[in-house]
Short mmCIF file of all heavy atoms in Angstrom, two decimals:
data_model
loop_
_atom_site.label_atom_id
_atom_site.label_comp_id
_atom_site.label_asym_id
_atom_site.label_seq_id
_atom_site.Cartn_x
_atom_site.Cartn_y
_atom_site.Cartn_z
N PHE U 236 178.69 206.24 86.23
CA PHE U 236 177.31 206.13 86.88
C PHE U 236 176.66 207.55 86.59
O PHE U 236 177.18 208.62 87.16
CB PHE U 236 177.47 205.75 88.35
CG PHE U 236 176.16 205.64 88.92
CD1 PHE U 236 175.56 204.24 88.89
CD2 PHE U 236 175.42 206.52 89.62
CE1 PHE U 236 174.31 204.04 89.50
CE2 PHE U 236 174.22 206.26 90.31
CZ PHE U 236 173.66 204.97 90.23
N SER U 237 175.51 207.54 85.86
CA SER U 237 174.80 208.76 85.52
C SER U 237 173.59 208.93 86.52
O SER U 237 172.92 208.06 86.87
CB SER U 237 174.40 208.87 84.16
OG SER U 237 175.54 208.65 83.27
N ALA U 238 173.46 210.15 86.91
CA ALA U 238 172.33 210.66 87.72
C ALA U 238 171.80 212.09 87.54
O ALA U 238 172.62 212.88 87.07
CB ALA U 238 172.80 210.46 89.15
N LYS U 239 170.63 212.26 87.89
CA LYS U 239 170.07 213.48 88.06
C LYS U 239 170.03 213.91 89.54
O LYS U 239 169.61 213.04 90.33
CB LYS U 239 168.64 213.71 87.48
CG LYS U 239 168.47 213.39 85.99
CD LYS U 239 169.08 214.51 85.11
CE LYS U 239 168.86 214.20 83.57
NZ LYS U 239 169.44 215.28 82.79
N CYS U 240 170.54 215.12 89.94
CA CYS U 240 170.69 215.34 91.33
C CYS U 240 170.64 216.78 91.65
O CYS U 240 171.42 217.64 91.22
CB CYS U 240 172.04 214.80 91.77
SG CYS U 240 172.51 215.27 93.38
N GLY U 241 169.63 217.19 92.38
CA GLY U 241 169.37 218.58 92.80
C GLY U 241 169.09 219.54 91.77
O GLY U 241 169.35 219.42 90.55
N LEU U 242 168.47 220.72 92.11
CA LEU U 242 167.90 221.72 91.19
C LEU U 242 169.09 222.56 90.81
O LEU U 242 169.84 223.05 91.63
CB LEU U 242 166.80 222.44 91.79
CG LEU U 242 165.49 221.72 91.93
CD1 LEU U 242 164.51 222.46 93.00
CD2 LEU U 242 164.81 221.51 90.66
N ARG U 243 169.23 222.69 89.36
CA ARG U 243 170.27 223.64 88.94
C ARG U 243 169.89 225.21 89.11
O ARG U 243 168.73 225.44 89.28
CB ARG U 243 170.45 223.36 87.38
CG ARG U 243 171.63 223.98 86.79
CD ARG U 243 171.51 223.83 85.18
NE ARG U 243 171.37 222.52 84.75
CZ ARG U 243 170.33 222.00 84.32
NH1 ARG U 243 169.24 222.61 84.16
NH2 ARG U 243 170.34 220.64 83.89
N ALA U 244 170.84 225.91 89.13
CA ALA U 244 170.66 227.46 89.36
C ALA U 244 169.66 227.78 88.25
O ALA U 244 169.78 227.52 86.98
CB ALA U 244 171.99 228.23 89.05
N PRO U 245 168.67 228.62 88.49
CA PRO U 245 167.62 228.90 87.57
C PRO U 245 167.94 229.65 86.28
O PRO U 245 167.37 229.35 85.22
CB PRO U 245 166.46 229.69 88.42
CG PRO U 245 167.29 230.26 89.52
CD PRO U 245 168.41 229.20 89.84
N ASP U 246 168.83 230.45 86.42
CA ASP U 246 169.35 231.29 85.16
C ASP U 246 169.89 230.30 84.13
O ASP U 246 169.71 230.51 82.94
CB ASP U 246 170.28 232.27 85.61
CG ASP U 246 169.56 233.48 86.35
OD1 ASP U 246 168.49 233.64 86.22
OD2 ASP U 246 170.33 234.04 87.22
N ARG U 247 170.63 229.36 84.57
CA ARG U 247 171.23 228.43 83.72
C ARG U 247 170.25 227.55 83.07
O ARG U 247 170.26 227.21 81.86
CB ARG U 247 172.35 227.53 84.37
CG ARG U 247 173.67 228.26 84.50
CD ARG U 247 174.72 227.24 84.98
NE ARG U 247 174.83 226.03 84.49
CZ ARG U 247 175.42 225.66 83.33
NH1 ARG U 247 175.95 226.75 82.51
NH2 ARG U 247 175.45 224.43 82.88
N THR U 248 169.25 227.10 83.85
CA THR U 248 168.23 226.26 83.32
C THR U 248 167.33 227.13 82.32
O THR U 248 166.95 226.61 81.19
CB THR U 248 167.29 225.69 84.47
OG1 THR U 248 168.16 224.90 85.25
CG2 THR U 248 166.17 224.85 83.76
N ALA U 249 167.15 228.37 82.55
CA ALA U 249 166.43 229.30 81.65
C ALA U 249 167.14 229.30 80.26
O ALA U 249 166.40 229.29 79.14
CB ALA U 249 166.21 230.65 82.17
N VAL U 250 168.41 229.37 80.36
CA VAL U 250 169.21 229.42 79.08
C VAL U 250 168.95 228.13 78.30
O VAL U 250 168.78 228.04 77.17
CB VAL U 250 170.66 229.57 79.40
CG1 VAL U 250 171.57 229.38 78.06
CG2 VAL U 250 170.95 231.02 79.82
N LEU U 251 169.12 226.89 78.97
CA LEU U 251 168.94 225.71 78.30
C LEU U 251 167.45 225.65 77.67
O LEU U 251 167.28 225.16 76.47
CB LEU U 251 169.01 224.49 79.28
CG LEU U 251 168.67 223.13 78.93
CD1 LEU U 251 169.40 222.62 77.65
CD2 LEU U 251 168.72 222.11 80.08
N LEU U 252 166.55 225.86 78.51
CA LEU U 252 165.13 225.72 77.96
C LEU U 252 164.78 226.69 76.78
O LEU U 252 164.01 226.46 75.83
CB LEU U 252 164.05 225.87 79.15
CG LEU U 252 164.18 224.83 80.23
CD1 LEU U 252 163.05 224.95 81.30
CD2 LEU U 252 164.12 223.47 79.78
N GLY U 253 165.29 227.99 77.01
CA GLY U 253 165.14 228.93 75.90
C GLY U 253 165.78 228.51 74.66
O GLY U 253 165.11 228.71 73.56
N CYS U 254 166.79 227.83 74.71
CA CYS U 254 167.46 227.43 73.38
C CYS U 254 166.67 226.28 72.76
O CYS U 254 166.76 226.04 71.42
CB CYS U 254 168.91 226.78 73.71
SG CYS U 254 170.12 228.01 74.09
N LEU U 255 165.72 225.54 73.46
CA LEU U 255 164.98 224.59 72.78
C LEU U 255 163.91 225.14 71.80
O LEU U 255 163.28 224.53 71.02
CB LEU U 255 164.26 223.73 73.87
CG LEU U 255 165.17 222.75 74.60
CD1 LEU U 255 164.34 222.12 75.69
CD2 LEU U 255 165.98 221.90 73.84
N ARG U 256 163.59 226.55 72.22
CA ARG U 256 162.52 227.15 71.29
C ARG U 256 161.20 226.48 71.25
O ARG U 256 160.66 226.28 70.15
CB ARG U 256 163.12 227.43 69.94
CG ARG U 256 164.35 228.26 69.99
CD ARG U 256 164.86 228.74 68.60
NE ARG U 256 166.02 229.47 68.63
CZ ARG U 256 166.09 230.78 68.79
NH1 ARG U 256 165.03 231.44 69.09
NH2 ARG U 256 167.21 231.44 68.87
N VAL U 257 160.77 225.98 72.38
CA VAL U 257 159.52 225.24 72.51
C VAL U 257 158.48 226.32 73.06
O VAL U 257 158.62 226.80 74.29
CB VAL U 257 159.51 224.09 73.43
CG1 VAL U 257 158.08 223.47 73.73
CG2 VAL U 257 160.44 223.04 72.63
N GLU U 258 157.45 226.56 72.28
CA GLU U 258 156.46 227.70 72.73
C GLU U 258 155.84 227.41 74.14
O GLU U 258 155.70 228.29 74.94
CB GLU U 258 155.40 227.94 71.73
CG GLU U 258 154.42 228.96 72.03
CD GLU U 258 153.35 229.12 70.93
OE1 GLU U 258 153.47 228.45 69.83
OE2 GLU U 258 152.59 229.96 71.13
N GLY U 259 155.63 226.07 74.31
CA GLY U 259 154.92 225.73 75.56
C GLY U 259 155.80 225.87 76.81
O GLY U 259 155.38 225.96 77.87
N LEU U 260 157.14 226.06 76.61
CA LEU U 260 158.04 226.32 77.65
C LEU U 260 158.18 227.72 78.05
O LEU U 260 158.77 228.08 79.01
CB LEU U 260 159.47 225.79 77.48
CG LEU U 260 159.64 224.26 77.36
CD1 LEU U 260 160.99 223.83 76.97
CD2 LEU U 260 159.39 223.59 78.70
N GLY U 261 157.49 228.59 77.39
CA GLY U 261 157.59 230.06 77.60
C GLY U 261 157.41 230.52 79.02
O GLY U 261 158.13 231.22 79.63
N PRO U 262 156.22 229.99 79.52
CA PRO U 262 155.90 230.45 80.97
C PRO U 262 156.89 229.98 81.96
O PRO U 262 157.23 230.69 82.92
CB PRO U 262 154.49 229.84 81.23
CG PRO U 262 153.91 229.69 79.77
CD PRO U 262 155.11 229.31 78.96
N LEU U 263 157.41 228.80 81.62
CA LEU U 263 158.39 228.17 82.50
C LEU U 263 159.72 229.01 82.52
O LEU U 263 160.36 229.19 83.55
CB LEU U 263 158.73 226.71 82.18
CG LEU U 263 159.55 225.80 83.08
CD1 LEU U 263 159.09 225.87 84.51
CD2 LEU U 263 159.69 224.40 82.54
N VAL U 264 160.15 229.31 81.37
CA VAL U 264 161.43 230.20 81.23
C VAL U 264 161.16 231.51 81.98
O VAL U 264 162.07 232.17 82.55
CB VAL U 264 161.73 230.45 79.74
CG1 VAL U 264 162.94 231.35 79.52
CG2 VAL U 264 162.09 229.06 79.09
N ASP U 265 159.96 232.09 81.81
CA ASP U 265 159.79 233.30 82.41
C ASP U 265 159.76 233.23 84.03
O ASP U 265 160.35 234.15 84.61
CB ASP U 265 158.28 233.83 82.17
CG ASP U 265 158.25 234.31 80.62
OD1 ASP U 265 159.24 234.52 80.08
OD2 ASP U 265 156.98 234.37 80.21
#
């Protein structure tokens, strides 16, 4: 059973989003 649940630690999420190299995500990563 798959689910999304609770906010992940911000530093780990910043790593994930940074690896996507999407320019529009820059402010979010910051």
Side-chain angles (χ1 to χ4, degrees):
F236 189 86
S237 299
K239 301 286 185 181
C240 174
L242 292 163
R243 188 190 305 106
D246 291 333
R247 278 185 49 77
T248 298
V250 170
L251 168 61
L252 299 185
C254 289
L255 294 178
R256 300 186 182 278
V257 172
E258 183 177 354
L260 288 176
L263 187 58
V264 173
D265 289 343

